[in-house]
Amino acid sequence: DTEVTQTPKHLVMGMTNKKSLKCEQHMGHRAMYWYKQKAKKPPELMFVYSYEKLSINESVPSRFSPECPNSSLLNLHLHALQPEDSALYLCASSQEGGQLSNQPQHFGDGTRLSIL
Amino acid sequence: AQSVAQPEDQVNVAEGNPLTVKCTYSVSGNPYLFWYVQYPNRGLQFLLKYITGDNLVKGSYGFEAEFNKSQTSFHLKKPSALVSDSALYFCAVRDKAAGNKLTFGGGTRVLVKP
């Protein structure tokens, strides 16, 4: 069992729908991440939150909107997605700050998103 | 800028034989190096890391990796492979100058045949 929980596991949506992906961790980690992963490819970083503030946005289209309501939760709001956005979306978390910055990221099992 | 290369898309090995997955890196400063494994329909699982100290790092499931600064390599090894080791393996580097950003290699698919 992973310590980072993502819901839902699968999501099928139309291009005009609005949906949200959710991620939760209770390890006390203060850095949280969203990645997009295409089949047989490495994860691509989308966003990084550090102490609930957005610290990195890798030039992600505005149809993806991240939110960090508190230190344990991370959401990714989706609106007007395109078929090429179909992928596995992974959430990760890690300890943060000083010597803790060399700690590994812990990944959830992802949400498999299909855009019709 | 930091980068990671995994020169082999796929490695095939017979069960019981040694397994090596290659990784080379490029960073401007001292690297933090990581290996992750991904099984089908799962997220990435952390295997091991090199931060400083001993060049030989031991990790989960019997895996180890050797840091070689002169060759800028961090190859993953297992003395005796199991069929259950068949998965996708990613090497990653984190440069302190790049903050929290991990850079992944392209991944290597390992197939262990009985």
Side-chain angles (χ1 to χ4, degrees):
Chain A
D1 290 341
T2 59
E3 297 166 312
V4 176
T5 304
Q6 291 188 242
T7 56
K9 292 189 184 306
H10 302 274
L11 179 61
V12 179
M13 56 187 288
M15 289 189 283
T16 57
N17 292 157
K18 287 185 180 181
K19 297 285 185 184
S20 296
L21 309 185
K22 297 185 182 300
C23 174
E24 188 168 5
Q25 58 88 16
H26 294 287
M27 295 178 281
H29 291 170
R30 302 308 296 272
M32 296 187 76
Y33 312 78
W34 279 115
Y35 289 89
K36 174 183 178 181
Q37 187 182 27
K38 290 284 200 179
K40 302 181 182 179
K41 297 292 185 183
E44 300 170 28
L45 183 65
M46 299 174 72
F47 303 103
V48 180
Y49 274 82
S50 176
Y51 293 94
E52 295 96 70
K53 295 194 186 307
L54 184 65
S55 61
I56 296 177
N57 177 341
E58 290 286 287
S59 302
V60 178
S62 59
R63 58 185 183 269
F64 295 91
S65 175
E67 178 195 20
C68 191
N70 60 54
S71 60
S72 300
L73 294 174
L74 186 65
N75 299 322
L76 186 63
H77 303 298
L78 314 173
H79 174 54
L81 295 194
Q82 303 299 307
E84 60 265 28
D85 297 323
S86 297
L88 181 68
Y89 288 83
L90 294 167
C91 174
S93 70
S94 68
Q95 293 176 311
E96 176 71 323
Q99 292 300 314
L100 299 177
S101 62
N102 60 24
Q103 297 305 307
Q105 294 180 16
H106 295 251
F107 286 79
D109 282 338
T111 293
R112 189 161 299 281
L113 178 64
S114 298
I115 307 300
L116 301 179
Chain B
Q2 55 191 29
S3 65
V4 180
Q6 293 180 242
E8 300 157 317
D9 289 336
Q10 182 160 324
V11 170
N12 297 320
V13 63
E15 187 174 31
N17 282 2
L19 169 64
T20 298
V21 186
K22 295 179 181 177
C23 171
T24 58
Y25 67 90
S26 173
V27 297
S28 56
N30 292 321
Y32 296 154
L33 293 158
F34 303 85
W35 274 103
Y36 287 87
V37 61
Q38 187 174 30
Y39 297 98
N41 302 312
R42 300 297 301 274
L44 276 67
Q45 294 180 32
F46 167 69
L47 282 177
L48 49 80
K49 67 178 181 182
Y50 172 82
I51 304 301
T52 187
D54 270 346
N55 289 341
L56 185 63
V57 178
K58 294 191 183 295
S60 307
Y61 313 120
F63 283 95
E64 59 188 28
E66 186 167 9
F67 173 67
N68 187 318
K69 188 172 183 177
S70 62
Q71 296 185 6
T72 61
S73 67
F74 189 55
H75 302 329
L76 181 70
K77 300 180 181 183
K78 186 170 184 179
S80 177
L82 301 173
V83 172
S84 57
D85 292 328
S86 299
L88 186 56
Y89 290 79
F90 291 103
C91 181
V93 66
R94 181 175 171 177
D95 183 351
K96 286 178 72 175
N100 289 342
K101 193 171 176 179
L102 264 186
T103 298
F104 288 92
T108 299
R109 182 163 302 280
V110 170
L111 181 59
V112 182
K113 298 181 179 178

PDB file of all heavy atoms in Angstrom, chain B residues 40-69:
ATOM      1  N   PRO B  40       3.331  -2.341 -13.448  1.00  0.00           N
ATOM      2  CA  PRO B  40       2.158  -1.956 -14.252  1.00  0.00           C
ATOM      3  C   PRO B  40       1.021  -1.424 -13.379  1.00  0.00           C
ATOM      4  O   PRO B  40       0.707  -1.988 -12.327  1.00  0.00           O
ATOM      5  CB  PRO B  40       1.781  -3.261 -14.946  1.00  0.00           C
ATOM      6  CG  PRO B  40       3.059  -4.013 -15.043  1.00  0.00           C
ATOM      7  CD  PRO B  40       3.816  -3.691 -13.787  1.00  0.00           C
ATOM      8  N   ASN B  41       0.432  -0.320 -13.835  1.00  0.00           N
ATOM      9  CA  ASN B  41      -0.718   0.296 -13.168  1.00  0.00           C
ATOM     10  C   ASN B  41      -0.420   0.739 -11.736  1.00  0.00           C
ATOM     11  O   ASN B  41      -1.329   0.773 -10.896  1.00  0.00           O
ATOM     12  CB  ASN B  41      -1.921  -0.663 -13.176  1.00  0.00           C
ATOM     13  CG  ASN B  41      -2.319  -1.062 -14.581  1.00  0.00           C
ATOM     14  OD1 ASN B  41      -2.441  -0.211 -15.460  1.00  0.00           O
ATOM     15  ND2 ASN B  41      -2.474  -2.348 -14.813  1.00  0.00           N
ATOM     16  N   ARG B  42       0.821   1.047 -11.459  1.00  0.00           N
ATOM     17  CA  ARG B  42       1.227   1.531 -10.137  1.00  0.00           C
ATOM     18  C   ARG B  42       2.032   2.808 -10.283  1.00  0.00           C
ATOM     19  O   ARG B  42       2.497   3.177 -11.370  1.00  0.00           O
ATOM     20  CB  ARG B  42       2.077   0.480  -9.402  1.00  0.00           C
ATOM     21  CG  ARG B  42       1.399  -0.852  -9.146  1.00  0.00           C
ATOM     22  CD  ARG B  42       0.189  -0.719  -8.233  1.00  0.00           C
ATOM     23  NE  ARG B  42       0.494  -0.162  -6.948  1.00  0.00           N
ATOM     24  CZ  ARG B  42       0.917  -0.864  -5.902  1.00  0.00           C
ATOM     25  NH1 ARG B  42       1.116  -2.157  -6.006  1.00  0.00           N
ATOM     26  NH2 ARG B  42       1.151  -0.267  -4.747  1.00  0.00           N
ATOM     27  N   GLY B  43       2.205   3.508  -9.151  1.00  0.00           N
ATOM     28  CA  GLY B  43       3.092   4.660  -9.141  1.00  0.00           C
ATOM     29  C   GLY B  43       4.537   4.217  -9.030  1.00  0.00           C
ATOM     30  O   GLY B  43       4.853   3.033  -9.074  1.00  0.00           O
ATOM     31  N   LEU B  44       5.422   5.207  -8.888  1.00  0.00           N
ATOM     32  CA  LEU B  44       6.843   4.901  -8.755  1.00  0.00           C
ATOM     33  C   LEU B  44       7.161   4.552  -7.304  1.00  0.00           C
ATOM     34  O   LEU B  44       6.695   5.229  -6.382  1.00  0.00           O
ATOM     35  CB  LEU B  44       7.693   6.106  -9.181  1.00  0.00           C
ATOM     36  CG  LEU B  44       7.966   6.261 -10.680  1.00  0.00           C
ATOM     37  CD1 LEU B  44       6.694   6.578 -11.438  1.00  0.00           C
ATOM     38  CD2 LEU B  44       9.005   7.340 -10.906  1.00  0.00           C
ATOM     39  N   GLN B  45       7.969   3.513  -7.132  1.00  0.00           N
ATOM     40  CA  GLN B  45       8.396   3.124  -5.785  1.00  0.00           C
ATOM     41  C   GLN B  45       9.882   3.421  -5.638  1.00  0.00           C
ATOM     42  O   GLN B  45      10.686   3.045  -6.497  1.00  0.00           O
ATOM     43  CB  GLN B  45       8.157   1.633  -5.549  1.00  0.00           C
ATOM     44  CG  GLN B  45       6.709   1.215  -5.538  1.00  0.00           C
ATOM     45  CD  GLN B  45       6.561  -0.279  -5.305  1.00  0.00           C
ATOM     46  OE1 GLN B  45       7.370  -0.892  -4.610  1.00  0.00           O
ATOM     47  NE2 GLN B  45       5.528  -0.872  -5.884  1.00  0.00           N
ATOM     48  N   PHE B  46      10.234   4.057  -4.557  1.00  0.00           N
ATOM     49  CA  PHE B  46      11.623   4.398  -4.286  1.00  0.00           C
ATOM     50  C   PHE B  46      12.421   3.138  -3.955  1.00  0.00           C
ATOM     51  O   PHE B  46      11.992   2.299  -3.151  1.00  0.00           O
ATOM     52  CB  PHE B  46      11.661   5.368  -3.104  1.00  0.00           C
ATOM     53  CG  PHE B  46      13.012   5.585  -2.506  1.00  0.00           C
ATOM     54  CD1 PHE B  46      13.986   6.269  -3.210  1.00  0.00           C
ATOM     55  CD2 PHE B  46      13.308   5.111  -1.237  1.00  0.00           C
ATOM     56  CE1 PHE B  46      15.233   6.470  -2.650  1.00  0.00           C
ATOM     57  CE2 PHE B  46      14.546   5.315  -0.674  1.00  0.00           C
ATOM     58  CZ  PHE B  46      15.521   5.989  -1.381  1.00  0.00           C
ATOM     59  N   LEU B  47      13.600   2.975  -4.597  1.00  0.00           N
ATOM     60  CA  LEU B  47      14.485   1.837  -4.334  1.00  0.00           C
ATOM     61  C   LEU B  47      15.684   2.217  -3.480  1.00  0.00           C
ATOM     62  O   LEU B  47      16.005   1.536  -2.508  1.00  0.00           O
ATOM     63  CB  LEU B  47      15.003   1.250  -5.650  1.00  0.00           C
ATOM     64  CG  LEU B  47      14.066   0.361  -6.454  1.00  0.00           C
ATOM     65  CD1 LEU B  47      14.742  -0.065  -7.749  1.00  0.00           C
ATOM     66  CD2 LEU B  47      13.642  -0.858  -5.651  1.00  0.00           C
ATOM     67  N   LEU B  48      16.386   3.285  -3.886  1.00  0.00           N
ATOM     68  CA  LEU B  48      17.581   3.675  -3.150  1.00  0.00           C
ATOM     69  C   LEU B  48      18.027   5.065  -3.598  1.00  0.00           C
ATOM     70  O   LEU B  48      17.536   5.582  -4.610  1.00  0.00           O
ATOM     71  CB  LEU B  48      18.717   2.667  -3.351  1.00  0.00           C
ATOM     72  CG  LEU B  48      19.062   2.235  -4.763  1.00  0.00           C
ATOM     73  CD1 LEU B  48      19.914   3.269  -5.478  1.00  0.00           C
ATOM     74  CD2 LEU B  48      19.816   0.892  -4.740  1.00  0.00           C
ATOM     75  N   LYS B  49      18.945   5.627  -2.841  1.00  0.00           N
ATOM     76  CA  LYS B  49      19.460   6.959  -3.163  1.00  0.00           C
ATOM     77  C   LYS B  49      20.932   7.055  -2.808  1.00  0.00           C
ATOM     78  O   LYS B  49      21.436   6.335  -1.933  1.00  0.00           O
ATOM     79  CB  LYS B  49      18.686   8.030  -2.388  1.00  0.00           C
ATOM     80  CG  LYS B  49      18.920   7.958  -0.885  1.00  0.00           C
ATOM     81  CD  LYS B  49      18.173   9.052  -0.137  1.00  0.00           C
ATOM     82  CE  LYS B  49      18.465   8.946   1.359  1.00  0.00           C
ATOM     83  NZ  LYS B  49      17.739   9.961   2.146  1.00  0.00           N
ATOM     84  N   TYR B  50      21.625   7.958  -3.504  1.00  0.00           N
ATOM     85  CA  TYR B  50      22.976   8.353  -3.137  1.00  0.00           C
ATOM     86  C   TYR B  50      22.951   9.850  -2.851  1.00  0.00           C
ATOM     87  O   TYR B  50      22.530  10.649  -3.684  1.00  0.00           O
ATOM     88  CB  TYR B  50      23.976   8.067  -4.257  1.00  0.00           C
ATOM     89  CG  TYR B  50      25.335   8.651  -3.935  1.00  0.00           C
ATOM     90  CD1 TYR B  50      26.225   7.966  -3.112  1.00  0.00           C
ATOM     91  CD2 TYR B  50      25.704   9.910  -4.395  1.00  0.00           C
ATOM     92  CE1 TYR B  50      27.445   8.512  -2.773  1.00  0.00           C
ATOM     93  CE2 TYR B  50      26.923  10.460  -4.065  1.00  0.00           C
ATOM     94  CZ  TYR B  50      27.789   9.763  -3.252  1.00  0.00           C
ATOM     95  OH  TYR B  50      28.992  10.316  -2.909  1.00  0.00           O
ATOM     96  N   ILE B  51      23.438  10.199  -1.647  1.00  0.00           N
ATOM     97  CA  ILE B  51      23.543  11.608  -1.282  1.00  0.00           C
ATOM     98  C   ILE B  51      25.007  11.962  -1.086  1.00  0.00           C
ATOM     99  O   ILE B  51      25.536  12.897  -1.675  1.00  0.00           O
ATOM    100  CB  ILE B  51      22.743  11.915  -0.008  1.00  0.00           C
ATOM    101  CG1 ILE B  51      21.280  11.487  -0.188  1.00  0.00           C
ATOM    102  CG2 ILE B  51      22.852  13.383   0.357  1.00  0.00           C
ATOM    103  CD1 ILE B  51      20.562  12.158  -1.323  1.00  0.00           C
ATOM    104  N   THR B  52      25.675  11.190  -0.243  1.00  0.00           N
ATOM    105  CA  THR B  52      27.096  11.385   0.027  1.00  0.00           C
ATOM    106  C   THR B  52      27.604  10.140   0.726  1.00  0.00           C
ATOM    107  O   THR B  52      26.832   9.266   1.109  1.00  0.00           O
ATOM    108  CB  THR B  52      27.324  12.640   0.890  1.00  0.00           C
ATOM    109  OG1 THR B  52      28.733  12.880   1.002  1.00  0.00           O
ATOM    110  CG2 THR B  52      26.756  12.448   2.287  1.00  0.00           C
ATOM    111  N   GLY B  53      28.918  10.006   0.868  1.00  0.00           N
ATOM    112  CA  GLY B  53      29.443   8.879   1.633  1.00  0.00           C
ATOM    113  C   GLY B  53      29.845   7.718   0.746  1.00  0.00           C
ATOM    114  O   GLY B  53      30.366   7.903  -0.355  1.00  0.00           O
ATOM    115  N   ASP B  54      29.582   6.494   1.217  1.00  0.00           N
ATOM    116  CA  ASP B  54      29.975   5.276   0.500  1.00  0.00           C
ATOM    117  C   ASP B  54      29.436   5.272  -0.926  1.00  0.00           C
ATOM    118  O   ASP B  54      28.259   5.568  -1.152  1.00  0.00           O
ATOM    119  CB  ASP B  54      29.416   4.041   1.215  1.00  0.00           C
ATOM    120  CG  ASP B  54      30.387   3.508   2.244  1.00  0.00           C
ATOM    121  OD1 ASP B  54      31.558   3.926   2.209  1.00  0.00           O
ATOM    122  OD2 ASP B  54      29.968   2.681   3.062  1.00  0.00           O
ATOM    123  N   ASN B  55      30.301   4.879  -1.845  1.00  0.00           N
ATOM    124  CA  ASN B  55      29.884   4.858  -3.246  1.00  0.00           C
ATOM    125  C   ASN B  55      28.924   3.720  -3.546  1.00  0.00           C
ATOM    126  O   ASN B  55      28.180   3.777  -4.518  1.00  0.00           O
ATOM    127  CB  ASN B  55      31.107   4.749  -4.161  1.00  0.00           C
ATOM    128  CG  ASN B  55      31.907   6.034  -4.166  1.00  0.00           C
ATOM    129  OD1 ASN B  55      31.405   7.090  -3.790  1.00  0.00           O
ATOM    130  ND2 ASN B  55      33.155   5.941  -4.587  1.00  0.00           N
ATOM    131  N   LEU B  56      28.936   2.668  -2.737  1.00  0.00           N
ATOM    132  CA  LEU B  56      28.018   1.550  -2.928  1.00  0.00           C
ATOM    133  C   LEU B  56      26.825   1.738  -1.987  1.00  0.00           C
ATOM    134  O   LEU B  56      26.978   1.766  -0.773  1.00  0.00           O
ATOM    135  CB  LEU B  56      28.717   0.217  -2.652  1.00  0.00           C
ATOM    136  CG  LEU B  56      27.887  -1.032  -2.938  1.00  0.00           C
ATOM    137  CD1 LEU B  56      27.533  -1.120  -4.424  1.00  0.00           C
ATOM    138  CD2 LEU B  56      28.628  -2.281  -2.494  1.00  0.00           C
ATOM    139  N   VAL B  57      25.657   1.849  -2.581  1.00  0.00           N
ATOM    140  CA  VAL B  57      24.443   2.105  -1.815  1.00  0.00           C
ATOM    141  C   VAL B  57      23.550   0.875  -1.895  1.00  0.00           C
ATOM    142  O   VAL B  57      23.318   0.341  -2.985  1.00  0.00           O
ATOM    143  CB  VAL B  57      23.684   3.312  -2.401  1.00  0.00           C
ATOM    144  CG1 VAL B  57      22.398   3.547  -1.632  1.00  0.00           C
ATOM    145  CG2 VAL B  57      24.558   4.550  -2.395  1.00  0.00           C
ATOM    146  N   LYS B  58      23.049   0.437  -0.754  1.00  0.00           N
ATOM    147  CA  LYS B  58      22.129  -0.708  -0.737  1.00  0.00           C
ATOM    148  C   LYS B  58      20.708  -0.212  -0.537  1.00  0.00           C
ATOM    149  O   LYS B  58      20.460   0.750   0.199  1.00  0.00           O
ATOM    150  CB  LYS B  58      22.521  -1.680   0.365  1.00  0.00           C
ATOM    151  CG  LYS B  58      23.878  -2.347   0.108  1.00  0.00           C
ATOM    152  CD  LYS B  58      24.132  -3.479   1.060  1.00  0.00           C
ATOM    153  CE  LYS B  58      25.520  -4.076   0.834  1.00  0.00           C
ATOM    154  NZ  LYS B  58      25.627  -4.711  -0.514  1.00  0.00           N
ATOM    155  N   GLY B  59      19.766  -0.873  -1.236  1.00  0.00           N
ATOM    156  CA  GLY B  59      18.391  -0.428  -1.158  1.00  0.00           C
ATOM    157  C   GLY B  59      17.421  -1.569  -0.938  1.00  0.00           C
ATOM    158  O   GLY B  59      17.780  -2.619  -0.418  1.00  0.00           O
ATOM    159  N   SER B  60      16.189  -1.342  -1.375  1.00  0.00           N
ATOM    160  CA  SER B  60      15.116  -2.312  -1.163  1.00  0.00           C
ATOM    161  C   SER B  60      15.229  -3.490  -2.120  1.00  0.00           C
ATOM    162  O   SER B  60      15.814  -3.373  -3.199  1.00  0.00           O
ATOM    163  CB  SER B  60      13.759  -1.636  -1.368  1.00  0.00           C
ATOM    164  OG  SER B  60      13.630  -0.479  -0.598  1.00  0.00           O
ATOM    165  N   TYR B  61      14.618  -4.633  -1.716  1.00  0.00           N
ATOM    166  CA  TYR B  61      14.463  -5.819  -2.567  1.00  0.00           C
ATOM    167  C   TYR B  61      15.788  -6.372  -3.088  1.00  0.00           C
ATOM    168  O   TYR B  61      15.829  -6.990  -4.154  1.00  0.00           O
ATOM    169  CB  TYR B  61      13.531  -5.526  -3.747  1.00  0.00           C
ATOM    170  CG  TYR B  61      12.255  -4.813  -3.368  1.00  0.00           C
ATOM    171  CD1 TYR B  61      11.946  -3.566  -3.897  1.00  0.00           C
ATOM    172  CD2 TYR B  61      11.367  -5.367  -2.449  1.00  0.00           C
ATOM    173  CE1 TYR B  61      10.784  -2.902  -3.540  1.00  0.00           C
ATOM    174  CE2 TYR B  61      10.208  -4.707  -2.088  1.00  0.00           C
ATOM    175  CZ  TYR B  61       9.924  -3.482  -2.642  1.00  0.00           C
ATOM    176  OH  TYR B  61       8.774  -2.826  -2.281  1.00  0.00           O
ATOM    177  N   GLY B  62      16.885  -6.144  -2.367  1.00  0.00           N
ATOM    178  CA  GLY B  62      18.177  -6.692  -2.758  1.00  0.00           C
ATOM    179  C   GLY B  62      18.925  -5.889  -3.808  1.00  0.00           C
ATOM    180  O   GLY B  62      19.957  -6.330  -4.308  1.00  0.00           O
ATOM    181  N   PHE B  63      18.400  -4.722  -4.166  1.00  0.00           N
ATOM    182  CA  PHE B  63      19.069  -3.874  -5.150  1.00  0.00           C
ATOM    183  C   PHE B  63      20.172  -3.047  -4.498  1.00  0.00           C
ATOM    184  O   PHE B  63      20.099  -2.702  -3.321  1.00  0.00           O
ATOM    185  CB  PHE B  63      18.067  -2.932  -5.826  1.00  0.00           C
ATOM    186  CG  PHE B  63      17.227  -3.606  -6.865  1.00  0.00           C
ATOM    187  CD1 PHE B  63      15.970  -4.106  -6.544  1.00  0.00           C
ATOM    188  CD2 PHE B  63      17.690  -3.739  -8.166  1.00  0.00           C
ATOM    189  CE1 PHE B  63      15.194  -4.734  -7.493  1.00  0.00           C
ATOM    190  CE2 PHE B  63      16.909  -4.367  -9.130  1.00  0.00           C
ATOM    191  CZ  PHE B  63      15.666  -4.870  -8.793  1.00  0.00           C
ATOM    192  N   GLU B  64      21.185  -2.731  -5.300  1.00  0.00           N
ATOM    193  CA  GLU B  64      22.243  -1.834  -4.887  1.00  0.00           C
ATOM    194  C   GLU B  64      22.661  -1.005  -6.092  1.00  0.00           C
ATOM    195  O   GLU B  64      22.330  -1.331  -7.235  1.00  0.00           O
ATOM    196  CB  GLU B  64      23.433  -2.607  -4.312  1.00  0.00           C
ATOM    197  CG  GLU B  64      24.045  -3.600  -5.261  1.00  0.00           C
ATOM    198  CD  GLU B  64      25.093  -4.485  -4.585  1.00  0.00           C
ATOM    199  OE1 GLU B  64      24.994  -4.720  -3.355  1.00  0.00           O
ATOM    200  OE2 GLU B  64      26.007  -4.930  -5.284  1.00  0.00           O
ATOM    201  N   ALA B  65      23.373   0.082  -5.834  1.00  0.00           N
ATOM    202  CA  ALA B  65      23.842   0.929  -6.929  1.00  0.00           C
ATOM    203  C   ALA B  65      25.206   1.475  -6.557  1.00  0.00           C
ATOM    204  O   ALA B  65      25.508   1.715  -5.390  1.00  0.00           O
ATOM    205  CB  ALA B  65      22.863   2.067  -7.197  1.00  0.00           C
ATOM    206  N   GLU B  66      26.031   1.669  -7.587  1.00  0.00           N
ATOM    207  CA  GLU B  66      27.380   2.173  -7.375  1.00  0.00           C
ATOM    208  C   GLU B  66      27.531   3.549  -7.991  1.00  0.00           C
ATOM    209  O   GLU B  66      27.325   3.733  -9.197  1.00  0.00           O
ATOM    210  CB  GLU B  66      28.411   1.219  -7.968  1.00  0.00           C
ATOM    211  CG  GLU B  66      29.844   1.625  -7.639  1.00  0.00           C
ATOM    212  CD  GLU B  66      30.839   0.536  -7.959  1.00  0.00           C
ATOM    213  OE1 GLU B  66      30.437  -0.459  -8.582  1.00  0.00           O
ATOM    214  OE2 GLU B  66      32.005   0.694  -7.575  1.00  0.00           O
ATOM    215  N   PHE B  67      27.875   4.508  -7.148  1.00  0.00           N
ATOM    216  CA  PHE B  67      28.122   5.867  -7.606  1.00  0.00           C
ATOM    217  C   PHE B  67      29.566   5.978  -8.077  1.00  0.00           C
ATOM    218  O   PHE B  67      30.499   5.615  -7.344  1.00  0.00           O
ATOM    219  CB  PHE B  67      27.869   6.852  -6.463  1.00  0.00           C
ATOM    220  CG  PHE B  67      28.258   8.271  -6.763  1.00  0.00           C
ATOM    221  CD1 PHE B  67      27.570   8.997  -7.713  1.00  0.00           C
ATOM    222  CD2 PHE B  67      29.307   8.884  -6.083  1.00  0.00           C
ATOM    223  CE1 PHE B  67      27.912  10.309  -7.993  1.00  0.00           C
ATOM    224  CE2 PHE B  67      29.663  10.192  -6.355  1.00  0.00           C
ATOM    225  CZ  PHE B  67      28.965  10.909  -7.314  1.00  0.00           C
ATOM    226  N   ASN B  68      29.758   6.458  -9.296  1.00  0.00           N
ATOM    227  CA  ASN B  68      31.094   6.633  -9.844  1.00  0.00           C
ATOM    228  C   ASN B  68      31.211   8.071 -10.337  1.00  0.00           C
ATOM    229  O   ASN B  68      30.680   8.418 -11.403  1.00  0.00           O
ATOM    230  CB  ASN B  68      31.347   5.639 -10.986  1.00  0.00           C
ATOM    231  CG  ASN B  68      32.774   5.677 -11.477  1.00  0.00           C
ATOM    232  OD1 ASN B  68      33.363   6.739 -11.636  1.00  0.00           O
ATOM    233  ND2 ASN B  68      33.353   4.500 -11.704  1.00  0.00           N
ATOM    234  N   LYS B  69      31.900   8.890  -9.562  1.00  0.00           N
ATOM    235  CA  LYS B  69      31.960  10.311  -9.881  1.00  0.00           C
ATOM    236  C   LYS B  69      32.728  10.584 -11.170  1.00  0.00           C
ATOM    237  O   LYS B  69      32.324  11.427 -11.980  1.00  0.00           O
ATOM    238  CB  LYS B  69      32.585  11.086  -8.721  1.00  0.00           C
ATOM    239  CG  LYS B  69      32.510  12.594  -8.880  1.00  0.00           C
ATOM    240  CD  LYS B  69      32.955  13.306  -7.634  1.00  0.00           C
ATOM    241  CE  LYS B  69      32.795  14.816  -7.793  1.00  0.00           C
ATOM    242  NZ  LYS B  69      33.168  15.553  -6.553  1.00  0.00           N
TER     243      LYS B  69
END
